[in-house]
Coordinates of all heavy atoms in Angstrom, one line a residue:
K11 N 5.7 17.9 14.7 CA 5.9 19.3 14.8 C 6.2 19.5 16.3 O 5.4 19.2 17.1 CB 4.7 20.2 14.4 CG 5.0 21.7 14.4 CD 3.9 22.4 13.7 CE 2.7 22.5 14.6 NZ 1.7 23.4 13.9
I12 N 7.4 19.9 16.6 CA 7.9 20.0 18.1 C 8.2 21.4 18.4 O 9.0 22.1 17.7 CB 9.1 19.1 18.3 CG1 8.7 17.7 18.0 CG2 9.7 19.3 19.7 CD1 9.8 16.7 17.9
K13 N 7.5 21.9 19.4 CA 7.9 23.3 19.9 C 8.8 23.0 21.2 O 8.4 22.6 22.2 CB 6.6 24.1 20.4 CG 5.8 24.5 19.3 CD 4.9 25.6 19.7 CE 3.9 26.1 18.5 NZ 2.8 25.1 18.4
G14 N 10.1 23.1 21.0 CA 11.1 22.7 21.9 C 11.4 23.9 23.0 O 10.9 24.9 22.9
G15 N 12.4 23.5 23.8 CA 12.8 24.5 24.8 C 12.0 24.5 26.1 O 12.2 25.3 27.0
K16 N 10.9 23.6 26.1 CA 10.1 23.5 27.3 C 10.9 22.7 28.5 O 11.6 21.9 28.1 CB 8.7 22.8 27.1 CG 8.0 23.4 25.8 CD 6.6 23.4 26.0 CE 5.8 24.2 25.0 NZ 6.3 25.5 24.6
E17 N 10.5 23.0 29.7 CA 11.0 22.2 30.8 C 10.3 20.9 30.8 O 9.0 20.8 30.9 CB 10.9 22.9 32.1 CG 12.0 23.9 32.4 CD 13.4 23.2 32.1 OE1 13.7 22.2 32.7 OE2 14.0 23.7 31.2
L18 N 11.0 19.8 30.7 CA 10.3 18.4 30.7 C 10.6 17.8 32.0 O 11.7 18.1 32.6 CB 10.9 17.5 29.6 CG 10.8 18.0 28.1 CD1 11.3 17.0 27.1 CD2 9.3 18.5 27.8
K19 N 9.6 17.1 32.6 CA 9.8 16.6 33.9 C 8.8 15.3 34.1 O 7.7 15.4 33.6 CB 9.5 17.6 35.0 CG 9.9 17.3 36.4 CD 9.9 18.5 37.3 CE 10.2 18.1 38.8 NZ 11.5 17.3 38.8
G20 N 9.3 14.3 34.7 CA 8.4 13.2 35.1 C 9.0 11.9 34.8 O 10.3 11.8 34.8
T21 N 8.3 10.9 34.6 CA 8.8 9.4 34.4 C 8.3 8.9 33.1 O 7.1 9.1 32.7 CB 8.3 8.6 35.5 OG1 8.8 9.2 36.9 CG2 8.9 7.1 35.3
L22 N 9.3 8.3 32.3 CA 8.9 7.6 31.1 C 9.0 6.2 31.4 O 10.1 5.7 31.8 CB 10.0 8.1 29.9 CG 9.7 9.5 29.4 CD1 10.9 9.8 28.4 CD2 8.4 9.6 28.7
E23 N 7.9 5.4 30.8 CA 8.0 3.9 31.1 C 8.3 3.3 29.8 O 7.7 3.6 28.7 CB 6.7 3.5 31.7 CG 6.7 2.0 31.9 CD 5.6 1.5 32.8 OE1 4.9 2.4 33.3 OE2 5.5 0.3 33.1
V24 N 9.3 2.3 29.7 CA 9.5 1.7 28.4 C 8.6 0.6 28.2 O 8.0 0.0 29.1 CB 11.0 1.1 28.4 CG1 12.0 2.3 28.7 CG2 11.2 0.0 29.4
S25 N 8.4 0.3 27.0 CA 7.5 -0.8 26.5 C 8.4 -2.1 26.3 O 9.6 -2.2 26.6 CB 6.9 -0.4 25.2 OG 6.2 0.8 25.3
G26 N 7.7 -3.2 25.8 CA 8.4 -4.4 25.6 C 9.4 -4.2 24.5 O 9.3 -3.3 23.6
A27 N 10.5 -5.0 24.5 CA 11.6 -4.9 23.6 C 11.3 -5.3 22.2 O 10.9 -6.5 21.9 CB 12.8 -5.6 24.1
K28 N 11.4 -4.4 21.2 CA 11.0 -4.7 19.7 C 12.0 -5.9 19.4 O 11.6 -6.8 18.7 CB 11.4 -3.5 18.9 CG 11.5 -3.8 17.5 CD 11.7 -2.6 16.6 CE 13.1 -2.2 16.4 NZ 13.9 -2.9 15.5
N29 N 13.3 -5.8 19.7 CA 14.3 -6.8 19.1 C 14.3 -8.1 19.9 O 15.0 -9.0 19.5 CB 15.7 -6.2 19.2 CG 15.7 -5.0 18.1 OD1 14.8 -4.8 17.3 ND2 16.8 -4.2 18.1
A30 N 13.4 -8.2 20.9 CA 13.1 -9.5 21.5 C 11.9 -10.0 21.0 O 11.7 -11.2 20.7 CB 13.0 -9.4 23.0
A31 N 10.8 -9.1 20.8 CA 9.5 -9.5 20.3 C 9.6 -10.0 19.0 O 8.9 -11.1 18.6 CB 8.6 -8.4 20.4
L32 N 10.3 -9.5 18.1 CA 10.4 -10.0 16.6 C 10.8 -11.4 16.6 O 10.1 -12.2 16.0 CB 11.3 -9.0 15.8 CG 10.7 -7.6 15.7 CD1 11.7 -6.7 15.0 CD2 9.4 -7.6 14.9
P33 N 12.0 -11.7 17.1 CA 12.4 -13.3 17.0 C 11.5 -14.1 17.7 O 11.2 -15.3 17.3 CB 13.8 -13.3 17.6 CG 14.0 -12.0 18.3 CD 13.1 -11.0 17.7
I34 N 11.0 -13.8 18.9 CA 10.0 -14.5 19.7 C 8.7 -14.8 18.9 O 8.3 -15.9 18.9 CB 9.8 -14.0 21.0 CG1 11.0 -14.2 21.9 CG2 8.5 -14.6 21.7 CD1 11.0 -13.4 23.3
I35 N 8.2 -13.8 18.2 CA 7.1 -13.9 17.3 C 7.4 -15.0 16.2 O 6.6 -15.9 16.0 CB 6.6 -12.6 16.7 CG1 6.0 -11.8 17.8 CG2 5.6 -12.8 15.6 CD1 5.7 -10.3 17.5
T36 N 8.5 -14.9 15.6 CA 8.8 -15.8 14.6 C 9.0 -17.2 15.1 O 8.7 -18.3 14.5 CB 10.1 -15.5 13.8 OG1 11.3 -15.5 14.7 CG2 10.0 -14.1 13.1
A37 N 9.4 -17.4 16.4 CA 9.6 -18.7 17.0 C 8.3 -19.5 17.1 O 8.3 -20.7 17.3 CB 10.3 -18.5 18.4
T38 N 7.2 -18.7 17.1 CA 5.9 -19.4 17.3 C 5.6 -20.3 16.0 O 4.8 -21.2 16.0 CB 4.7 -18.5 17.4 OG1 4.6 -17.7 16.2 CG2 5.0 -17.6 18.6
L39 N 6.4 -20.1 15.0 CA 6.3 -20.8 13.8 C 6.8 -22.4 13.9 O 6.5 -23.3 13.2 CB 7.1 -20.3 12.6 CG 6.5 -19.0 12.0 CD1 7.6 -18.3 11.1 CD2 5.3 -19.4 11.1
I40 N 7.7 -22.5 14.9 CA 8.4 -23.7 15.1 C 7.4 -24.9 15.5 O 7.5 -26.0 15.1 CB 9.5 -23.6 16.2 CG1 10.6 -22.6 15.8 CG2 10.1 -25.0 16.4 CD1 11.6 -22.3 17.0
E41 N 6.3 -24.5 16.4 CA 5.6 -25.6 16.9 C 4.1 -25.3 16.9 O 3.7 -24.2 17.1 CB 5.9 -25.8 18.4 CG 5.5 -27.1 19.0 CD 6.1 -28.4 18.2 OE1 7.2 -28.5 18.3 OE2 5.3 -29.1 17.6
K42 N 3.3 -26.3 16.5 CA 1.8 -26.2 16.5 C 1.3 -25.8 18.0 O 2.0 -26.2 18.9 CB 1.2 -27.4 16.0 CG 1.3 -27.7 14.5 CD 0.5 -28.9 14.1 CE 0.7 -29.1 12.6 NZ 0.0 -30.3 12.2

Side-chain angles (χ1 to χ4, degrees):
K11 187 168 76 174
I12 294 169
K13 290 199 183 79
K16 305 213 172 320
E17 271 318 300
L18 303 186
K19 191 169 177 50
T21 301
L22 286 173
E23 181 162 3
V24 305
S25 305
K28 165 177 87 80
N29 291 349
L32 293 173
I34 286 173
I35 289 167
T36 62
T38 63
L39 288 164
I40 299 173
E41 197 61 67
K42 288 185 180 173

